[in-house]
Every structure is written in structure tokens, then in C-alpha cells.
Amino acid sequence: YAQLYQVGGDEAFGSVARGIGGWVLREMRAPGGGFYASLDADSEGVEGKYYLWTPDAAQALLTAEEYAVVAPHYGLDRPPNFHEPHHDLRAWHLAVYAGEADVAAATGVPVPRVRELLASARTKLLAARAARVRPGRDEKLLTGWNALMIRGLAIAGRILNRDAFVDAADAAARFVRTTLRDERRLYATATDAGRADLPAYLDDYAYLLDASLELLQARFDPVVLADAVWLAERLLADFEATDLGGFWFTAHDHEALLHRSRPFADEATPSGNGIAAGALLRLGWLLAEPRYLAAAERTLRAAWPALTDYPHGHATLLNALEDWLDPPALVVIRGEAEAAAPYRAALAAAYHPRRMVVVIPPDVTGLPPALAAKAARDRVTAYVCRGMACDAPETDLPALVAALADD
């Protein structure tokens, strides 16, 4: 939704993205910074009960003016959309049936006022709902799912300029680093008490590497860069099928299984091989590390029969293939945060999902050679590379935007 907002500037999409992020931070965040796994569907033995409303219950909480816009917006003026047969319960889940402009046209209330009334009504409804018996929560902390959340929050925080989202992504990454990892390996799951268990799988490593690269773009941190390198090295050392190409789902030292899979297709979550290939390409170009690029190429070649036979089942690998065939722009900006902010904002104003933009303050030391070579100067300086080829350093913002216009 944040990326949809970036495409056209439609505030409806931005509002949804901020709402999702707010819900995650409010409902699913563990004290240590990680994110819990899931919520139950039912409470008090009734599926969905926590979320159900009736028109009478809503009217009792809201002013007449608020209810006049809430009813058409959320469908309370329609027949009930939920039926729980075991209890013969018919009620309403609040879903958007009419947009703000449609509500304004139907009620004669101006759109800005509709927006205000909906916001005040949501606050009242949320407060009342919070007093109900809550659904149970599965408080496992899963490495792969936390990685997906880190990635989403980093992207949304960067696009929507929400520091709270980036802070939460950073805290979750720190939780994984300190609780779900030791010097040798990642672990797949942990309890809220911090007890990690089960060797992690390909998806855990690949998702976390991908998330680390997104977090670096939201807020550069040498520790996160070191995490990315560690994850890439572990992928190559512990998971790569060196004779076949691609990565096994389990590590080389995992317990023996009847069948050791090397999955390429996207399922309910993205393909670990596809995510690994794309992330290794980006990290390989960022650090000028040919081993990462070669491993990504071997993965794509190994997956080629599946890609040609069933392309729509391998979208994640297709994304990596596009990057390999046509390397996207990598922009490294060196400069103080305040001075570099206009550069970051200008490059984030348009939707370029393949582009990677990293802003590195001038006082950061100990960078890998490829990044150290992109030195800080007396003014903000941008280095634009595609694959292993880089343009001359650029200090003029309009010229930088023009150079990237066709990217």
C-alpha cells in the first residue's frame, strides 16, 4: 500500500499503509522488539466476535453526525455481512463499501468533514472494542515472518516518512540479531522469554537478507550491513547446492530427511530461492562481490526449466531474472543527513521498486572497499552504478534526477 501511494499519491493508499503499520505496532509487537505470529479467529467461543458490530451498538457510541457517515462508509446501512451458524449470529464486520467522496456526495457533507467524522468515530469504536474479550495471540516469534515485517516497515517508513516504522524495523532486526542468532547460525523460532529453538531454513536467511537491504535504505547502519554480509556468507556456505545451482531448503548440517527439497516456486510466501537470488544480486553490486553475483546466476540457471514451463508460479525468480538481465540503478549518497534529505526525498518521490538508494553519513568508517571508494566530499555527492559500472560522481541534484529519469 505504501508503494501504491508512491505510484500516484492517492492518500487512500497512504492511509491504509499507516493504518496497517499502526495496527502491527499496537497489537503484534513483543516487548523485546520482535513481532508475534498471529491472532486467533475467535473469542468467547465465537469466531470473529471481537470484531463484530450492530447498527444499534455503533449508534449508541457515536453522535448522529458521525453515524450518518459511518453507516454508508462501513456498510451498516446494508444487510449483515457475517453469519455464525452455530450461534445463529448475524452481524456486521466493518468493511469499506463507499469511499469518502461517495459518502460526501450521498450525504451532502464535505469530504474534509467526512474524513474528520470518520476519524473521530473510529477512535470511539476502537476504544469500545478494546474493552471486549480479546482473541488469543500466538506469541511465537518466527524469524522469517519477522524478516517480512522488517522489510515492510522499512519500505513504508521510507516512503511515508514515518520514523516510528523505521524504528520498529530496526528494533525487530536487533531482536533477531540478539535472540535468534549465534555465531554459527540463525534459529527459526523463539518464545517471548527469549528461548530460541530449531535451526533456521532457507526462507529465514533469504528473507532476513532482503529485509536488511531494505533497512539499509531506510537508515544506514554498519551493523545492519554486517548482518547482510553474514547472512549472505551463511547462505553460500550452508545452503547452496553447489553442484546443481540454487539453495536447499535445509542447511547442510540439518538432520537427515527422506527428501531434501530445493524449492523454486512461490507458495503462500515468496520463494526462498527467488528472494536469495535477488538479494545476492543487490548485495553483490553494492559491495562489488562477484561470489554473490555468481551464486545468484547459478540459482537462475538452475531454475530456468521451471521459469520457462510455469513462469506465473515463479514471480519472485522472474524479478531476480529481470535484475540480472537489466541491472537497476544503485545510488550511494554520501552526506550529512540534513543536507542529503532533499536527495533522498527527490529519489523517493517516484515509484522505482528496483532502484536501491543508500545514504551514508560522512563520519561512517570501516566500510567495505567498494563503499569506502565512494568517498564523502565537502558537499553531498551521489554515485550512480548499474551492475559493476559506475558514472562519474554527481553533486547537482537536478542533474542526478535527470540522469535517473529513464531508470
Side-chain angles (χ1 to χ4, degrees), residues 23-341:
W23 176 83
V24 168
L25 268 58
R26 184 179 68 247
E27 301 285 347
M28 302 301 290
R29 198 176 185 194
F35 293 95
Y36 296 126
S38 64
L39 294 178
D40 290 345
D42 56 350
S43 55
E44 299 183 272
V46 180
E47 183 175 348
K49 183 175 181 180
Y50 183 71
Y51 305 99
L52 296 174
W53 290 93
T54 65
D56 289 344
Q59 282 182 298
L61 292 167
L62 306 178
T63 67
E65 189 181 19
E66 289 170 337
Y67 187 78
V69 298
V70 162
H73 184 66
Y74 286 122
L76 288 171
D77 59 351
R78 297 166 177 258
N81 58 11
F82 180 84
H83 178 213
E84 206 286 327
H86 294 296
H87 298 82
D88 194 27
L89 175 63
R90 298 178 186 273
W92 284 253
H93 272 304
L94 303 188
V96 175
Y97 285 90
E100 293 172 351
D102 294 329
V103 172
T107 61
V109 179
V111 170
R113 182 58 179 163
V114 168
R115 190 171 297 132
E116 291 175 1
L117 291 168
L118 289 174
S120 62
R122 280 193 295 267
T123 299
K124 293 177 181 179
L125 294 173
L126 182 62
R129 195 189 70 183
R132 299 175 179 176
V133 176
R134 301 175 65 84
R137 185 168 61 191
D138 181 349
E139 298 192 347
K140 290 193 301 291
L141 297 113
L142 303 176
T143 299
W145 291 8
N146 269 267
L148 292 172
M149 187 55 64
I150 292 166
R151 180 184 187 275
L153 286 169
I155 292 172
R158 185 171 74 240
I159 293 173
L160 300 172
N161 197 27
R162 300 283 287 214
D163 286 342
F165 289 179
V166 181
D167 290 344
D170 185 64
R174 188 164 54 251
F175 168 80
V176 173
R177 184 187 310 126
T178 57
T179 304
L180 286 157
R181 176 182 139 184
D182 59 24
E183 293 182 0
R184 176 67 183 84
R185 71 176 75 249
L186 276 177
Y187 293 90
T189 183
T191 65
D192 201 14
R195 293 187 300 275
D197 191 23
L198 304 177
Y201 303 95
L202 168 63
D203 291 1
D204 299 308
Y205 285 84
Y207 294 173
L208 193 57
L209 173 56
D210 189 41
S212 298
L213 295 175
E214 293 296 345
L215 189 53
L216 282 172
Q217 295 182 76
R219 182 182 298 157
F220 185 83
D221 183 344
V223 175
V224 176
L225 179 60
D227 288 346
V229 172
W230 185 87
L231 290 161
E233 294 294 334
R234 294 267 57 85
L235 277 171
L236 269 59
D238 298 343
F239 289 86
E240 190 176 14
T242 52
D243 55 337
L244 299 171
F247 298 90
W248 300 107
F249 186 68
T250 54
H252 298 322
D253 62 355
H254 196 88
E255 65 178 299
L257 303 172
L258 291 175
H259 171 68
R260 190 183 185 195
S261 63
R262 187 169 50 112
F264 292 120
D266 296 315
E267 302 291 348
T269 51
S271 160
N273 268 288
I275 294 294
L280 287 169
L281 285 173
R282 292 198 292 164
L283 185 62
W285 289 320
L286 182 67
L287 302 182
E289 177 49 75
R291 293 185 302 116
Y292 301 160
L293 302 175
E297 180 179 345
R298 288 192 293 271
T299 302
L300 291 168
R301 291 188 181 279
W304 186 251
L307 285 171
T308 54
D309 290 346
Y310 192 44
H312 50 289
H314 300 81
T316 304
L317 277 161
L318 289 176
N319 287 338
L321 178 63
E322 182 180 15
D323 285 352
W324 183 62
L325 293 171
D326 180 22
L330 162 66
V331 186
V332 177
I333 299 173
R334 299 300 307 271
E336 297 286 355
E338 184 174 350

